Amino acid sequence: MRHLLARLVDFLAPRICPVCGNRMGIQEKTCCVQCYLDLPVTGFEQHPDDNSMAEMFYGIIPFEKAVAMYFYKKGNKTAKIVEQFKYHNRPQLAVEMGRICAQRLLPTGFFEQIDCLVPVPLARKRQRQRGYNQSMMLARGIAKETGLPVVGGVIVRKKFKQSQTRLSRMQRNENTANAFQLAGGTLLAGKHILLIDDVVTTGATLIACAEAALQAPDVRLNLLALAMTHD
């Protein structure tokens, strides 16, 4: 009966793949199978302390593991998915991508010793416009698979100059410098936290957010992004 109902709903309101625009099957949640198989995976989970993303943070912030799951380039399949959940009101798509990330990472031991998930906060103006924080949605998807608690509001964005999208590396660093502050230090004290972001370009946002988190005593860090820009 449930299967018949699902087929009826799919017939009346067919779901469209956010990547290729084709109709998705009943069992397909994020994108069609072909687009999913074609997503440009980084493979960083196999070397979580020695990869192109981790290199961004060497000597800048203390961390243990840093992983981006997919490569991001304007117009590629990853970019189309990110565009949908950031600009086209599809928060559930971010949740599903978070679940996929967790499923890929769980066998590697990436979440071992992690105490909580901390999404990078969105500027209040952006959150009002969007209605949600996409990094929070990713974190909720990860939580569904790992059982780890999501801790929001412990780091807040205290200023927001402009979008990072069209800024140079130097401008991104300036735009995020001192952009975050610790608001719940007692909640993070002594914890091994996983900071979660959607797309990493220069690492400036994660660095600024990590610096705020590290103001709490005895904090350990892992870093995770859905995607990393790639030329």
PDB file of all heavy atoms in Angstrom, residues 149-184:
ATOM      1  N   PRO A 149      25.076  14.998  18.254  1.00  0.00           N
ATOM      2  CA  PRO A 149      24.244  16.191  18.431  1.00  0.00           C
ATOM      3  C   PRO A 149      24.742  17.365  17.597  1.00  0.00           C
ATOM      4  O   PRO A 149      25.948  17.544  17.415  1.00  0.00           O
ATOM      5  CB  PRO A 149      24.382  16.491  19.933  1.00  0.00           C
ATOM      6  CG  PRO A 149      25.712  15.923  20.306  1.00  0.00           C
ATOM      7  CD  PRO A 149      25.899  14.701  19.447  1.00  0.00           C
ATOM      8  N   VAL A 150      23.800  18.144  17.090  1.00  0.00           N
ATOM      9  CA  VAL A 150      24.120  19.386  16.388  1.00  0.00           C
ATOM     10  C   VAL A 150      24.020  20.519  17.400  1.00  0.00           C
ATOM     11  O   VAL A 150      22.998  20.674  18.070  1.00  0.00           O
ATOM     12  CB  VAL A 150      23.153  19.641  15.220  1.00  0.00           C
ATOM     13  CG1 VAL A 150      23.494  20.955  14.531  1.00  0.00           C
ATOM     14  CG2 VAL A 150      23.195  18.488  14.230  1.00  0.00           C
ATOM     15  N   VAL A 151      25.078  21.312  17.516  1.00  0.00           N
ATOM     16  CA  VAL A 151      25.102  22.417  18.477  1.00  0.00           C
ATOM     17  C   VAL A 151      25.152  23.727  17.692  1.00  0.00           C
ATOM     18  O   VAL A 151      26.169  24.066  17.090  1.00  0.00           O
ATOM     19  CB  VAL A 151      26.316  22.307  19.419  1.00  0.00           C
ATOM     20  CG1 VAL A 151      26.308  23.457  20.416  1.00  0.00           C
ATOM     21  CG2 VAL A 151      26.308  20.971  20.155  1.00  0.00           C
ATOM     22  N   GLY A 152      24.059  24.441  17.680  1.00  0.00           N
ATOM     23  CA  GLY A 152      23.996  25.724  16.996  1.00  0.00           C
ATOM     24  C   GLY A 152      24.003  26.863  18.000  1.00  0.00           C
ATOM     25  O   GLY A 152      23.698  26.674  19.178  1.00  0.00           O
ATOM     26  N   GLY A 153      24.358  28.040  17.558  1.00  0.00           N
ATOM     27  CA  GLY A 153      24.312  29.220  18.405  1.00  0.00           C
ATOM     28  C   GLY A 153      25.503  29.406  19.321  1.00  0.00           C
ATOM     29  O   GLY A 153      25.567  30.411  20.037  1.00  0.00           O
ATOM     30  N   VAL A 154      26.452  28.453  19.300  1.00  0.00           N
ATOM     31  CA  VAL A 154      27.623  28.606  20.171  1.00  0.00           C
ATOM     32  C   VAL A 154      28.675  29.506  19.540  1.00  0.00           C
ATOM     33  O   VAL A 154      29.526  30.061  20.225  1.00  0.00           O
ATOM     34  CB  VAL A 154      28.253  27.239  20.526  1.00  0.00           C
ATOM     35  CG1 VAL A 154      27.351  26.458  21.444  1.00  0.00           C
ATOM     36  CG2 VAL A 154      28.570  26.440  19.266  1.00  0.00           C
ATOM     37  N   ILE A 155      28.628  29.621  18.228  1.00  0.00           N
ATOM     38  CA  ILE A 155      29.463  30.576  17.496  1.00  0.00           C
ATOM     39  C   ILE A 155      28.513  31.453  16.698  1.00  0.00           C
ATOM     40  O   ILE A 155      27.613  30.937  16.019  1.00  0.00           O
ATOM     41  CB  ILE A 155      30.451  29.862  16.563  1.00  0.00           C
ATOM     42  CG1 ILE A 155      31.379  28.945  17.360  1.00  0.00           C
ATOM     43  CG2 ILE A 155      31.275  30.869  15.761  1.00  0.00           C
ATOM     44  CD1 ILE A 155      32.247  28.055  16.508  1.00  0.00           C
ATOM     45  N   VAL A 156      28.682  32.744  16.785  1.00  0.00           N
ATOM     46  CA  VAL A 156      27.788  33.657  16.072  1.00  0.00           C
ATOM     47  C   VAL A 156      28.602  34.540  15.144  1.00  0.00           C
ATOM     48  O   VAL A 156      29.772  34.846  15.408  1.00  0.00           O
ATOM     49  CB  VAL A 156      26.964  34.532  17.041  1.00  0.00           C
ATOM     50  CG1 VAL A 156      26.037  33.671  17.868  1.00  0.00           C
ATOM     51  CG2 VAL A 156      27.873  35.358  17.935  1.00  0.00           C
ATOM     52  N   ARG A 157      27.958  34.939  14.078  1.00  0.00           N
ATOM     53  CA  ARG A 157      28.591  35.842  13.133  1.00  0.00           C
ATOM     54  C   ARG A 157      28.290  37.263  13.562  1.00  0.00           C
ATOM     55  O   ARG A 157      27.121  37.684  13.566  1.00  0.00           O
ATOM     56  CB  ARG A 157      28.089  35.582  11.711  1.00  0.00           C
ATOM     57  CG  ARG A 157      28.919  36.267  10.660  1.00  0.00           C
ATOM     58  CD  ARG A 157      28.818  35.552   9.335  1.00  0.00           C
ATOM     59  NE  ARG A 157      29.855  35.994   8.419  1.00  0.00           N
ATOM     60  CZ  ARG A 157      30.248  35.307   7.359  1.00  0.00           C
ATOM     61  NH1 ARG A 157      29.715  34.139   7.099  1.00  0.00           N
ATOM     62  NH2 ARG A 157      31.186  35.772   6.560  1.00  0.00           N
ATOM     63  N   LYS A 158      29.295  38.001  13.950  1.00  0.00           N
ATOM     64  CA  LYS A 158      29.063  39.330  14.510  1.00  0.00           C
ATOM     65  C   LYS A 158      29.094  40.434  13.472  1.00  0.00           C
ATOM     66  O   LYS A 158      28.702  41.562  13.738  1.00  0.00           O
ATOM     67  CB  LYS A 158      30.071  39.631  15.623  1.00  0.00           C
ATOM     68  CG  LYS A 158      31.527  39.658  15.197  1.00  0.00           C
ATOM     69  CD  LYS A 158      32.431  39.941  16.390  1.00  0.00           C
ATOM     70  CE  LYS A 158      33.894  40.000  15.973  1.00  0.00           C
ATOM     71  NZ  LYS A 158      34.775  40.288  17.126  1.00  0.00           N
ATOM     72  N   LYS A 159      29.592  40.108  12.261  1.00  0.00           N
ATOM     73  CA  LYS A 159      29.556  41.116  11.204  1.00  0.00           C
ATOM     74  C   LYS A 159      29.502  40.414   9.862  1.00  0.00           C
ATOM     75  O   LYS A 159      29.896  39.262   9.711  1.00  0.00           O
ATOM     76  CB  LYS A 159      30.774  42.040  11.263  1.00  0.00           C
ATOM     77  CG  LYS A 159      32.107  41.344  10.955  1.00  0.00           C
ATOM     78  CD  LYS A 159      33.253  42.357  10.950  1.00  0.00           C
ATOM     79  CE  LYS A 159      34.577  41.678  10.590  1.00  0.00           C
ATOM     80  NZ  LYS A 159      35.686  42.631  10.504  1.00  0.00           N
ATOM     81  N   PHE A 160      28.997  41.129   8.891  1.00  0.00           N
ATOM     82  CA  PHE A 160      28.902  40.584   7.537  1.00  0.00           C
ATOM     83  C   PHE A 160      29.041  41.729   6.556  1.00  0.00           C
ATOM     84  O   PHE A 160      28.167  42.565   6.428  1.00  0.00           O
ATOM     85  CB  PHE A 160      27.555  39.877   7.336  1.00  0.00           C
ATOM     86  CG  PHE A 160      27.392  39.286   5.954  1.00  0.00           C
ATOM     87  CD1 PHE A 160      28.087  38.149   5.596  1.00  0.00           C
ATOM     88  CD2 PHE A 160      26.560  39.883   5.025  1.00  0.00           C
ATOM     89  CE1 PHE A 160      27.939  37.597   4.337  1.00  0.00           C
ATOM     90  CE2 PHE A 160      26.412  39.337   3.761  1.00  0.00           C
ATOM     91  CZ  PHE A 160      27.104  38.191   3.419  1.00  0.00           C
ATOM     92  N   LYS A 161      30.187  41.793   5.898  1.00  0.00           N
ATOM     93  CA  LYS A 161      30.435  42.910   4.983  1.00  0.00           C
ATOM     94  C   LYS A 161      29.769  42.688   3.624  1.00  0.00           C
ATOM     95  O   LYS A 161      29.038  43.519   3.124  1.00  0.00           O
ATOM     96  CB  LYS A 161      31.941  43.107   4.801  1.00  0.00           C
ATOM     97  CG  LYS A 161      32.664  43.556   6.066  1.00  0.00           C
ATOM     98  CD  LYS A 161      34.148  43.749   5.797  1.00  0.00           C
ATOM     99  CE  LYS A 161      34.891  44.207   7.040  1.00  0.00           C
ATOM    100  NZ  LYS A 161      36.341  44.340   6.799  1.00  0.00           N
ATOM    101  N   GLN A 162      30.049  41.542   3.029  1.00  0.00           N
ATOM    102  CA  GLN A 162      29.488  41.244   1.715  1.00  0.00           C
ATOM    103  C   GLN A 162      29.679  39.766   1.419  1.00  0.00           C
ATOM    104  O   GLN A 162      30.419  39.068   2.098  1.00  0.00           O
ATOM    105  CB  GLN A 162      30.175  42.082   0.631  1.00  0.00           C
ATOM    106  CG  GLN A 162      31.687  41.882   0.563  1.00  0.00           C
ATOM    107  CD  GLN A 162      32.335  42.750  -0.492  1.00  0.00           C
ATOM    108  OE1 GLN A 162      31.896  42.791  -1.636  1.00  0.00           O
ATOM    109  NE2 GLN A 162      33.385  43.484  -0.113  1.00  0.00           N
ATOM    110  N   SER A 163      28.978  39.300   0.381  1.00  0.00           N
ATOM    111  CA  SER A 163      29.102  37.910  -0.015  1.00  0.00           C
ATOM    112  C   SER A 163      30.536  37.595  -0.420  1.00  0.00           C
ATOM    113  O   SER A 163      31.232  38.434  -0.995  1.00  0.00           O
ATOM    114  CB  SER A 163      28.158  37.624  -1.192  1.00  0.00           C
ATOM    115  OG  SER A 163      28.407  36.347  -1.734  1.00  0.00           O
ATOM    116  N   GLN A 164      30.959  36.354  -0.141  1.00  0.00           N
ATOM    117  CA  GLN A 164      32.300  35.920  -0.495  1.00  0.00           C
ATOM    118  C   GLN A 164      32.418  35.535  -1.978  1.00  0.00           C
ATOM    119  O   GLN A 164      33.534  35.393  -2.485  1.00  0.00           O
ATOM    120  CB  GLN A 164      32.678  34.673   0.335  1.00  0.00           C
ATOM    121  CG  GLN A 164      32.708  34.906   1.833  1.00  0.00           C
ATOM    122  CD  GLN A 164      34.043  35.449   2.294  1.00  0.00           C
ATOM    123  OE1 GLN A 164      34.328  36.638   2.155  1.00  0.00           O
ATOM    124  NE2 GLN A 164      34.858  34.588   2.831  1.00  0.00           N
ATOM    125  N   THR A 165      31.299  35.381  -2.646  1.00  0.00           N
ATOM    126  CA  THR A 165      31.271  34.725  -3.958  1.00  0.00           C
ATOM    127  C   THR A 165      32.240  35.322  -4.961  1.00  0.00           C
ATOM    128  O   THR A 165      32.956  34.601  -5.651  1.00  0.00           O
ATOM    129  CB  THR A 165      29.839  34.771  -4.544  1.00  0.00           C
ATOM    130  OG1 THR A 165      28.938  34.207  -3.587  1.00  0.00           O
ATOM    131  CG2 THR A 165      29.771  33.976  -5.830  1.00  0.00           C
ATOM    132  N   ARG A 166      32.315  36.649  -5.052  1.00  0.00           N
ATOM    133  CA  ARG A 166      33.118  37.270  -6.102  1.00  0.00           C
ATOM    134  C   ARG A 166      34.402  37.914  -5.577  1.00  0.00           C
ATOM    135  O   ARG A 166      35.026  38.721  -6.269  1.00  0.00           O
ATOM    136  CB  ARG A 166      32.275  38.325  -6.842  1.00  0.00           C
ATOM    137  CG  ARG A 166      31.038  37.743  -7.513  1.00  0.00           C
ATOM    138  CD  ARG A 166      30.270  38.805  -8.277  1.00  0.00           C
ATOM    139  NE  ARG A 166      29.046  38.282  -8.838  1.00  0.00           N
ATOM    140  CZ  ARG A 166      28.965  37.620  -9.988  1.00  0.00           C
ATOM    141  NH1 ARG A 166      30.061  37.422 -10.699  1.00  0.00           N
ATOM    142  NH2 ARG A 166      27.811  37.166 -10.437  1.00  0.00           N
ATOM    143  N   LEU A 167      34.805  37.544  -4.372  1.00  0.00           N
ATOM    144  CA  LEU A 167      35.985  38.150  -3.773  1.00  0.00           C
ATOM    145  C   LEU A 167      37.250  37.359  -4.065  1.00  0.00           C
ATOM    146  O   LEU A 167      37.216  36.144  -4.224  1.00  0.00           O
ATOM    147  CB  LEU A 167      35.794  38.276  -2.259  1.00  0.00           C
ATOM    148  CG  LEU A 167      34.597  39.103  -1.769  1.00  0.00           C
ATOM    149  CD1 LEU A 167      34.613  39.188  -0.252  1.00  0.00           C
ATOM    150  CD2 LEU A 167      34.596  40.494  -2.395  1.00  0.00           C
ATOM    151  N   SER A 168      38.369  38.065  -4.104  1.00  0.00           N
ATOM    152  CA  SER A 168      39.670  37.419  -4.253  1.00  0.00           C
ATOM    153  C   SER A 168      40.064  36.755  -2.943  1.00  0.00           C
ATOM    154  O   SER A 168      39.422  36.956  -1.906  1.00  0.00           O
ATOM    155  CB  SER A 168      40.725  38.454  -4.641  1.00  0.00           C
ATOM    156  OG  SER A 168      40.955  39.342  -3.550  1.00  0.00           O
ATOM    157  N   ARG A 169      41.168  35.998  -2.962  1.00  0.00           N
ATOM    158  CA  ARG A 169      41.632  35.336  -1.742  1.00  0.00           C
ATOM    159  C   ARG A 169      41.903  36.359  -0.628  1.00  0.00           C
ATOM    160  O   ARG A 169      41.471  36.180   0.515  1.00  0.00           O
ATOM    161  CB  ARG A 169      42.907  34.539  -2.044  1.00  0.00           C
ATOM    162  CG  ARG A 169      43.520  33.863  -0.818  1.00  0.00           C
ATOM    163  CD  ARG A 169      44.757  33.081  -1.217  1.00  0.00           C
ATOM    164  NE  ARG A 169      44.433  31.949  -2.050  1.00  0.00           N
ATOM    165  CZ  ARG A 169      44.147  30.730  -1.562  1.00  0.00           C
ATOM    166  NH1 ARG A 169      44.139  30.512  -0.254  1.00  0.00           N
ATOM    167  NH2 ARG A 169      43.882  29.738  -2.388  1.00  0.00           N
ATOM    168  N   MET A 170      42.608  37.447  -0.967  1.00  0.00           N
ATOM    169  CA  MET A 170      42.920  38.463   0.041  1.00  0.00           C
ATOM    170  C   MET A 170      41.640  39.122   0.556  1.00  0.00           C
ATOM    171  O   MET A 170      41.479  39.361   1.761  1.00  0.00           O
ATOM    172  CB  MET A 170      43.867  39.516  -0.529  1.00  0.00           C
ATOM    173  CG  MET A 170      44.296  40.576   0.485  1.00  0.00           C
ATOM    174  SD  MET A 170      45.511  41.738  -0.195  1.00  0.00           S
ATOM    175  CE  MET A 170      46.916  40.636  -0.454  1.00  0.00           C
ATOM    176  N   GLN A 171      40.721  39.416  -0.340  1.00  0.00           N
ATOM    177  CA  GLN A 171      39.471  40.054   0.060  1.00  0.00           C
ATOM    178  C   GLN A 171      38.637  39.135   0.946  1.00  0.00           C
ATOM    179  O   GLN A 171      37.981  39.590   1.885  1.00  0.00           O
ATOM    180  CB  GLN A 171      38.671  40.464  -1.176  1.00  0.00           C
ATOM    181  CG  GLN A 171      39.268  41.634  -1.940  1.00  0.00           C
ATOM    182  CD  GLN A 171      38.593  41.863  -3.277  1.00  0.00           C
ATOM    183  OE1 GLN A 171      38.120  40.931  -3.928  1.00  0.00           O
ATOM    184  NE2 GLN A 171      38.548  43.122  -3.688  1.00  0.00           N
ATOM    185  N   ARG A 172      38.664  37.836   0.659  1.00  0.00           N
ATOM    186  CA  ARG A 172      37.936  36.875   1.495  1.00  0.00           C
ATOM    187  C   ARG A 172      38.500  36.863   2.904  1.00  0.00           C
ATOM    188  O   ARG A 172      37.756  36.812   3.882  1.00  0.00           O
ATOM    189  CB  ARG A 172      38.013  35.464   0.879  1.00  0.00           C
ATOM    190  CG  ARG A 172      37.120  35.272  -0.331  1.00  0.00           C
ATOM    191  CD  ARG A 172      37.409  33.934  -1.014  1.00  0.00           C
ATOM    192  NE  ARG A 172      36.613  33.774  -2.231  1.00  0.00           N
ATOM    193  CZ  ARG A 172      35.462  33.129  -2.295  1.00  0.00           C
ATOM    194  NH1 ARG A 172      34.975  32.558  -1.207  1.00  0.00           N
ATOM    195  NH2 ARG A 172      34.792  33.024  -3.416  1.00  0.00           N
ATOM    196  N   ASN A 173      39.822  36.882   3.012  1.00  0.00           N
ATOM    197  CA  ASN A 173      40.446  36.892   4.334  1.00  0.00           C
ATOM    198  C   ASN A 173      40.055  38.136   5.118  1.00  0.00           C
ATOM    199  O   ASN A 173      39.757  38.080   6.309  1.00  0.00           O
ATOM    200  CB  ASN A 173      41.970  36.801   4.202  1.00  0.00           C
ATOM    201  CG  ASN A 173      42.429  35.453   3.677  1.00  0.00           C
ATOM    202  OD1 ASN A 173      41.715  34.460   3.800  1.00  0.00           O
ATOM    203  ND2 ASN A 173      43.611  35.419   3.092  1.00  0.00           N
ATOM    204  N   GLU A 174      40.055  39.290   4.425  1.00  0.00           N
ATOM    205  CA  GLU A 174      39.682  40.544   5.077  1.00  0.00           C
ATOM    206  C   GLU A 174      38.201  40.548   5.461  1.00  0.00           C
ATOM    207  O   GLU A 174      37.808  41.062   6.508  1.00  0.00           O
ATOM    208  CB  GLU A 174      39.982  41.723   4.149  1.00  0.00           C
ATOM    209  CG  GLU A 174      41.479  41.947   3.901  1.00  0.00           C
ATOM    210  CD  GLU A 174      41.739  43.019   2.863  1.00  0.00           C
ATOM    211  OE1 GLU A 174      40.764  43.466   2.217  1.00  0.00           O
ATOM    212  OE2 GLU A 174      42.906  43.401   2.680  1.00  0.00           O
ATOM    213  N   ASN A 175      37.377  39.947   4.610  1.00  0.00           N
ATOM    214  CA  ASN A 175      35.939  39.947   4.827  1.00  0.00           C
ATOM    215  C   ASN A 175      35.538  39.103   6.034  1.00  0.00           C
ATOM    216  O   ASN A 175      34.523  39.376   6.681  1.00  0.00           O
ATOM    217  CB  ASN A 175      35.232  39.412   3.568  1.00  0.00           C
ATOM    218  CG  ASN A 175      33.762  39.753   3.533  1.00  0.00           C
ATOM    219  OD1 ASN A 175      33.367  40.886   3.793  1.00  0.00           O
ATOM    220  ND2 ASN A 175      32.932  38.766   3.226  1.00  0.00           N
ATOM    221  N   THR A 176      36.334  38.062   6.334  1.00  0.00           N
ATOM    222  CA  THR A 176      35.977  37.160   7.428  1.00  0.00           C
ATOM    223  C   THR A 176      36.805  37.385   8.692  1.00  0.00           C
ATOM    224  O   THR A 176      36.527  36.764   9.720  1.00  0.00           O
ATOM    225  CB  THR A 176      36.154  35.698   6.989  1.00  0.00           C
ATOM    226  OG1 THR A 176      37.499  35.497   6.532  1.00  0.00           O
ATOM    227  CG2 THR A 176      35.173  35.334   5.883  1.00  0.00           C
ATOM    228  N   ALA A 177      37.829  38.242   8.624  1.00  0.00           N
ATOM    229  CA  ALA A 177      38.675  38.478   9.797  1.00  0.00           C
ATOM    230  C   ALA A 177      37.825  38.965  10.968  1.00  0.00           C
ATOM    231  O   ALA A 177      37.062  39.921  10.845  1.00  0.00           O
ATOM    232  CB  ALA A 177      39.755  39.506   9.470  1.00  0.00           C
ATOM    233  N   ASN A 178      37.934  38.269  12.083  1.00  0.00           N
ATOM    234  CA  ASN A 178      37.184  38.612  13.297  1.00  0.00           C
ATOM    235  C   ASN A 178      35.672  38.648  13.071  1.00  0.00           C
ATOM    236  O   ASN A 178      34.949  39.389  13.735  1.00  0.00           O
ATOM    237  CB  ASN A 178      37.648  39.969  13.840  1.00  0.00           C
ATOM    238  CG  ASN A 178      39.128  39.999  14.149  1.00  0.00           C
ATOM    239  OD1 ASN A 178      39.642  39.099  14.807  1.00  0.00           O
ATOM    240  ND2 ASN A 178      39.814  41.022  13.659  1.00  0.00           N
ATOM    241  N   ALA A 179      35.206  37.837  12.131  1.00  0.00           N
ATOM    242  CA  ALA A 179      33.785  37.849  11.793  1.00  0.00           C
ATOM    243  C   ALA A 179      32.930  37.050  12.762  1.00  0.00           C
ATOM    244  O   ALA A 179      31.716  37.221  12.812  1.00  0.00           O
ATOM    245  CB  ALA A 179      33.580  37.316  10.373  1.00  0.00           C
ATOM    246  N   PHE A 180      33.552  36.157  13.536  1.00  0.00           N
ATOM    247  CA  PHE A 180      32.801  35.287  14.425  1.00  0.00           C
ATOM    248  C   PHE A 180      33.213  35.499  15.873  1.00  0.00           C
ATOM    249  O   PHE A 180      34.349  35.885  16.168  1.00  0.00           O
ATOM    250  CB  PHE A 180      33.027  33.821  14.044  1.00  0.00           C
ATOM    251  CG  PHE A 180      32.643  33.490  12.630  1.00  0.00           C
ATOM    252  CD1 PHE A 180      33.604  33.480  11.621  1.00  0.00           C
ATOM    253  CD2 PHE A 180      31.334  33.200  12.298  1.00  0.00           C
ATOM    254  CE1 PHE A 180      33.255  33.178  10.317  1.00  0.00           C
ATOM    255  CE2 PHE A 180      30.977  32.908  10.999  1.00  0.00           C
ATOM    256  CZ  PHE A 180      31.928  32.890   9.996  1.00  0.00           C
ATOM    257  N   GLN A 181      32.297  35.193  16.766  1.00  0.00           N
ATOM    258  CA  GLN A 181      32.646  35.238  18.175  1.00  0.00           C
ATOM    259  C   GLN A 181      32.016  34.052  18.898  1.00  0.00           C
ATOM    260  O   GLN A 181      30.965  33.532  18.475  1.00  0.00           O
ATOM    261  CB  GLN A 181      32.198  36.546  18.822  1.00  0.00           C
ATOM    262  CG  GLN A 181      30.696  36.734  18.930  1.00  0.00           C
ATOM    263  CD  GLN A 181      30.348  38.071  19.556  1.00  0.00           C
ATOM    264  OE1 GLN A 181      31.145  39.001  19.564  1.00  0.00           O
ATOM    265  NE2 GLN A 181      29.132  38.184  20.081  1.00  0.00           N
ATOM    266  N   LEU A 182      32.666  33.632  19.961  1.00  0.00           N
ATOM    267  CA  LEU A 182      32.192  32.508  20.756  1.00  0.00           C
ATOM    268  C   LEU A 182      31.071  32.986  21.661  1.00  0.00           C
ATOM    269  O   LEU A 182      31.217  33.955  22.404  1.00  0.00           O
ATOM    270  CB  LEU A 182      33.351  31.952  21.583  1.00  0.00           C
ATOM    271  CG  LEU A 182      33.108  30.662  22.364  1.00  0.00           C
ATOM    272  CD1 LEU A 182      32.835  29.500  21.414  1.00  0.00           C
ATOM    273  CD2 LEU A 182      34.313  30.352  23.245  1.00  0.00           C
ATOM    274  N   ALA A 183      29.930  32.288  21.600  1.00  0.00           N
ATOM    275  CA  ALA A 183      28.778  32.668  22.413  1.00  0.00           C
ATOM    276  C   ALA A 183      28.408  31.591  23.423  1.00  0.00           C
ATOM    277  O   ALA A 183      27.604  31.845  24.318  1.00  0.00           O
ATOM    278  CB  ALA A 183      27.579  32.971  21.517  1.00  0.00           C
ATOM    279  N   GLY A 184      28.980  30.413  23.264  1.00  0.00           N
ATOM    280  CA  GLY A 184      28.643  29.319  24.172  1.00  0.00           C
ATOM    281  C   GLY A 184      29.863  28.502  24.520  1.00  0.00           C
ATOM    282  O   GLY A 184      29.908  27.290  24.289  1.00  0.00           O
TER     283      GLY A 184
END
